[in-house]
């Protein structure tokens, strides 16, 4: 049965038929039919030889309607089409946006247990951590630091603002609300300050 189908397909191709290669982006006109092999002159004027099962007629789909349904023929040809390339617009990012040091000052992130610590001890540890991280960022020429302090009663934020105000080489503001909410402060470190 399969041999009959192949012979039937081989007989369907005639010199002058427009054909397309199923697994490649090649099409052209049949110039020679010999057994299971079909010679095709491509649209680029090259002569290539293919087996019958690698080709499909593209000029007269009525002859193939007995072998393929119209839908499957359309899907075969659609699959054969070269996929459209997606265009990507690459955003230019400055070096400033490359790395951001985020320092979470919540006490749970700084110590394993706050048991036995007074509010003064907690605030002192948070401020020491903030100062140490800010000095590290300045020393390593990092452009930006984000301190996550939370909303709370605002004591830590007030202390942080006071400490940051004593540095001449930085500027600070509330951090991106969409990313951090209300409980973060963004610090920009000015480089090359004399």
């Amino acid at each position: 049965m399969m041999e009959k189908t192949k012979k039937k397909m081989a007989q369907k191709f005639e010199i002058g038929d427009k054909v397309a290669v199923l697994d490649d982006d090649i099409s052209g006109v049949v110039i020679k039919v010999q057994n299971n092999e079909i010679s095709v002159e491509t649209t680029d004027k090259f002569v290539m030889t293919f087996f019958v099962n690698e080709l499909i007629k593209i000029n007269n789909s009525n002859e193939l309607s007995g072998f393929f349904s119209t839908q499957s023929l359309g899907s075969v040809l659609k699959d054969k089409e070269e996929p459209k390339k997606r265009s990507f617009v690459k955003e230019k990012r400055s070096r400033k946006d490359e790395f951001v040091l985020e320092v979470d000052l919540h006490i749970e992130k700084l110590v394993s247990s706050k048991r036995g610590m007074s509010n003064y001890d907690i605030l002192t540890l948070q401020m020491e951590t903030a100062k140490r991280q800010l000095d590290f960022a300045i020393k390593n020429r990092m452009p930006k630091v984000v301190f996550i302090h939370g909303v709370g009663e605002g004591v830590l934020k007030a202390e942080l603002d006071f400490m940051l105000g004593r540095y001449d080489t930085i500027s600070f503001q509330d951090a991106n609300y969409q990313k951090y909410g209300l409980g973060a402060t963004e610090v920009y470190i000015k480089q090359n300050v004399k």
Side-chain angles (χ1 to χ4, degrees), residues 6 10 21 51 59-60 105 124 143 152 159 167 190:
K6 279 187 179 178
V21 180
F51 288 107
N59 63 337
N60 192 354
L105 295 175
T124 303
E159 285 293 318
Y167 285 83
K190 300 172 190 168

Side-chain angles (χ1 to χ4, degrees), residues 78-89:
K78 189 174 183 177
D79 289 345
K80 184 188 162 338
E81 288 178 5
E82 193 171 312
K84 292 182 174 67
K85 292 182 180 174
R86 295 178 9 186
S87 67
F88 293 99
V89 178

Side-chain angles (χ1 to χ4, degrees), residues 75-179:
S75 69
V76 167
L77 290 173
K78 189 174 183 177
D79 289 345
K80 184 188 162 338
E81 288 178 5
E82 193 171 312
K84 292 182 174 67
K85 292 182 180 174
R86 295 178 9 186
S87 67
F88 293 99
V89 178
K90 189 172 182 181
E91 291 182 28
K92 277 214 164 197
R93 298 180 71 177
S94 65
R95 277 193 74 211
K96 290 181 182 178
D97 296 335
E98 286 179 14
F99 179 77
V100 177
L101 177 63
E102 291 181 356
V103 181
D104 194 338
L105 295 175
H106 287 93
I107 194 63
E108 302 84 30
K109 302 286 184 181
L110 302 177
V111 294
S112 57
S113 173
K114 64 178 182 174
R115 189 180 314 189
M117 294 179 76
S118 68
N119 287 344
Y120 175 79
D121 294 336
I122 292 171
L123 184 60
T124 303
L125 178 64
Q126 290 170 320
M127 291 307 299
E128 286 173 354
T129 302
K131 182 169 180 14
R132 186 174 64 250
Q133 293 295 334
L134 182 60
D135 290 341
F136 173 81
I138 291 170
K139 179 181 165 203
N140 290 296
R141 303 179 62 78
M142 292 180 185
K144 185 162 80 169
V145 181
V146 175
F147 290 106
I148 302 169
H149 47 72
V151 180
E153 295 176 21
V155 176
L156 178 57
K157 181 174 175 28
E159 285 293 318
L160 196 59
D161 287 353
F162 179 74
M163 180 194 77
L164 294 173
R166 296 184 359 214
Y167 285 83
D168 293 334
T169 60
I170 65 169
S171 62
F172 61 97
Q173 65 186 23
D174 289 341
N176 183 344
Y177 176 73
Q178 289 178 331
K179 188 170 183 181

Side-chain angles (χ1 to χ4, degrees), residues 5-13 19-20 22 33-38 49-57:
T5 308
K6 279 187 179 178
K7 279 188 178 180
K8 205 174 189 183
M9 288 297 292
Q11 292 170 359
K12 297 257 183 191
F13 290 105
V19 293
L22 286 173
V33 178
Q34 183 178 355
N35 297 331
N36 281 354
E37 295 180 357
I38 310 290
T49 303
F50 298 97
F51 288 107
V52 173
N53 59 351
E54 295 177 310
L55 297 174
I56 187 166
K57 239 187 240 191

